[in-house]
């Protein structure tokens, strides 16, 4: 977290101090991720810059003045997602100020975000997933034997883990060695807000992860010790950014679309579960979604799958018409 002393002196120092206090509250009380705290802090200091340009006291703005700020973002052709994120930061900040009795009323409470177009999540096809997972395996996509380096074994274990349980990148980065239970075939991960969940793993993922743990991980650690399951070539915790970088390099080496992200492995996992017949509630629990509506985005099943369900389920679907 930045020091107040390091903040531009031209800012309203009281407002800047309260932004820092709010961010600290997010981190400690809400257990928000470092990424979320950083994004909210950036958005709120952008608002402070705007208030400074408009010669307004940032803690005394009205809801009309906040609308002017949002209007300026719209004229600047910001995307709806960015504008809604900025609004979310403002609403959370002013709500906190009001609860802490720093301000008497909350000017942001009446503001509404723009409706966003619902887009279907990207997912990786089965053929592309085979290319992705075979890149670091003992055999290539053509079935030819190859020698695995410690890094290859780690990358394969990581990719198998992401695809096997739909974990977020932050969850993979923060996975502890003690939270992988090979006997029961499951892992314990901590999601958003520190929420704990247990996820089962299939045998292929367990096999790759066990091979990495037994043979590759000790070599990567270089006689160091670490509580984290996935470690870098220097024996440190593999960060979320380094996982994303590895994933991009893997896509490129496999000749796949480099626009994919590790989060698309999560989308693919959820899509494949639903197309395999899993119920929505089970997928919700495995993914760690607090709301079922978040999980429902994955119900974009193929027409073929829908026809199969219809034929199996509808009482008249299998009856031959007699004309």
């Amino acid at each position: 977290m930045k020091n107040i002393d390091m903040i531009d002196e031209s800012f309203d120092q009281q407002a800047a101090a309260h932004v820092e206090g709010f961010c600290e509250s997010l981190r400690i009380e809400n257990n928000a991720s470092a990424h979320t705290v950083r994004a909210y802090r950036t958005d709120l200091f952008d608002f402070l810059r705007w208030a400074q340009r408009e010669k307004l006291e940032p803690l005394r703005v009205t809801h009309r003045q906040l609308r002017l700020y949002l209007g300026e973002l719209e004229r600047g052709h910001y995307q709806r997602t960015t504008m809604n994120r900025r609004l979310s930061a403002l609403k959370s900040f002013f709500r906190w100020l009001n609860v802490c009795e720093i301000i008497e009323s909350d000017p942001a409470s009446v503001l509404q975000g723009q409706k966003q177009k619902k887009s279907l999540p990207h997912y990786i096809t089965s053929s592309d997933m085979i290319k992705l997972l075979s890149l670091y395996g003992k055999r290539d996509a053509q079935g030819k034997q190859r020698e695995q380096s410690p890094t290859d074994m780690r990358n394969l274990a990581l990719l198998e883990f992401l695809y096997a349980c739909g974990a977020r990148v932050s969850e993979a980065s923060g996975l502890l060695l003690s939270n992988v239970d090979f006997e029961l075939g499951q892992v314990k991960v901590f999601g958003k807000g520190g929420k704990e969940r247990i996820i089962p793993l299939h045998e292929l993922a367990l096999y790759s992860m066990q091979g990495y743990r037994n043979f590759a991980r000790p070599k990567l650690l270089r006689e160091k010790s670490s509580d984290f399951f996935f470690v870098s070539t220097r024996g440190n915790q593999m960060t979320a950014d380094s996982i994303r970088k590895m994933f991009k390099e893997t896509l490129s080496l496999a000749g796949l679309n480099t626009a994919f992200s590790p989060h698309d492995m999560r989308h693919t996992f959820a899509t494949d579960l639903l197309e395999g017949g899993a119920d929505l509630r089970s997928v919700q629990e495995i993914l760690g979604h607090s709301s079922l509506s978040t999980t429902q985005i994955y119900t974009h099943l193929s027409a073929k799958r829908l026809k199969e369900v219809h034929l199996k389920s509808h009482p008249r679907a299998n009856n031959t018409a007699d004309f």
Side-chain angles (χ1 to χ4, degrees):
M1 194 71 66
K2 245 184 198 177
N3 237 319
I4 303 297
D5 299 336
M6 296 171 65
I7 296 170
D8 190 331
E9 290 182 3
S10 60
F11 277 136
D12 182 312
Q13 292 299 297
Q14 185 184 31
H18 286 317
V19 168
E20 297 293 355
F22 166 69
C23 290
E24 192 69 4
S25 171
L26 278 180
R27 187 179 66 82
I28 296 173
E29 296 174 23
N30 295 15
N31 202 19
S33 69
H35 175 76
T36 298
V37 174
R38 188 165 55 247
Y40 271 45
R41 187 182 187 280
T42 300
D43 290 344
L44 290 171
F45 271 97
D46 182 83
F47 165 69
L48 294 188
R49 278 187 283 273
W50 174 83
Q52 181 187 30
R53 289 196 304 271
E54 298 297 316
K55 296 181 171 55
L56 296 172
E57 293 183 54
L59 302 185
R60 294 180 180 274
V61 292
T62 65
H63 68 276
R64 290 187 177 86
Q65 289 168 333
L66 287 177
R67 283 198 177 102
L68 288 175
Y69 169 64
L70 295 173
E72 184 172 298
L73 295 180
E74 189 169 7
R75 288 190 297 277
H77 302 292
Y78 282 79
Q79 292 184 353
R80 286 185 182 183
T81 51
T82 303
M83 292 180 62
N84 283 343
R85 193 196 68 218
R86 295 273 179 99
L87 176 58
S88 177
L90 287 170
K91 288 173 78 73
S92 297
F93 177 55
F94 280 102
R95 189 187 308 119
W96 178 80
L97 290 171
N98 187 225
V99 168
C100 294
E101 298 184 352
I102 296 167
I103 58 174
E104 291 183 5
S105 60
D106 179 359
S109 62
V110 297
L111 301 178
Q112 297 291 328
Q114 294 187 16
K115 287 187 177 180
Q116 292 179 209
K117 294 179 181 177
K118 288 187 178 179
S119 57
L120 294 176
H122 298 120
Y123 66 98
I124 304 168
T125 63
S126 297
S127 58
D128 284 350
M129 187 62 76
I130 290 170
K131 291 178 184 177
L132 195 67
L133 297 177
S134 65
L135 189 68
Y136 300 115
K138 289 183 178 180
R139 296 181 181 275
D140 60 23
Q142 286 73 43
K144 292 180 181 179
Q145 196 109 11
R146 59 186 297 274
E147 189 176 342
Q148 288 178 294
S149 68
T151 307
D152 288 338
M153 294 181 77
R154 182 207 59 199
N155 292 350
L156 176 61
L158 181 48
L159 292 172
E160 287 281 10
F161 170 74
L162 290 173
Y163 182 47
C165 64
R168 300 178 178 94
V169 172
S170 58
E171 294 167 350
S173 172
L175 182 67
L176 299 177
L177 183 64
S178 59
N179 288 341
V180 183
D181 191 328
F182 287 100
E183 285 188 17
L184 294 179
Q186 61 187 30
V187 293
K188 182 195 296 182
V189 298
F190 294 89
K192 291 183 177 180
K195 291 179 182 176
E196 176 188 316
R197 67 187 193 278
I198 305 292
I199 310 174
L201 292 172
H202 58 69
E203 288 187 8
L204 284 173
L206 287 167
Y207 179 77
S208 296
M209 291 172 70
Q210 199 161 25
Y212 155 71
R213 183 200 64 175
N214 293 343
F215 304 108
R217 191 173 178 275
K219 292 180 180 178
L220 293 174
L221 282 172
R222 298 181 182 184
E223 298 182 359
K224 293 167 69 174
S225 63
S226 175
D227 293 331
F228 295 100
F229 189 80
F230 294 111
V231 295
S232 69
T233 52
R234 295 183 179 181
N236 302 318
Q237 175 190 8
M238 201 170 181
T239 65
D241 284 342
S242 62
I243 292 173
R244 292 189 186 96
K245 183 181 178 183
M246 180 277 288
F247 190 77
K248 290 292 182 186
E249 289 172 351
T250 303
L251 290 170
S252 180
L253 290 169
L256 301 178
N257 185 355
T258 54
F260 284 124
S261 72
H263 206 73
D264 292 323
M265 295 283 271
R266 180 172 165 86
H267 295 325
T268 307
F269 164 79
T271 301
D272 287 350
L273 280 189
L274 287 168
E275 290 199 342
D279 65 277
L280 204 59
R281 285 285 181 189
S282 297
V283 177
Q284 176 195 3
E285 191 169 335
I286 292 172
L287 291 175
H289 288 158
S290 56
S291 171
L292 188 63
S293 61
T294 309
T295 316
Q296 284 174 332
I297 195 171
Y298 296 109
T299 55
H300 60 294
L301 304 181
S302 65
K304 181 182 177 183
R305 170 67 182 157
L306 289 174
K307 285 180 181 178
E308 288 173 358
V309 170
H310 182 269
L311 284 170
K312 288 179 183 177
S313 308
H314 198 280
R316 295 176 65 84
N318 290 313
N319 290 337
T320 306
D322 186 13
F323 295 109

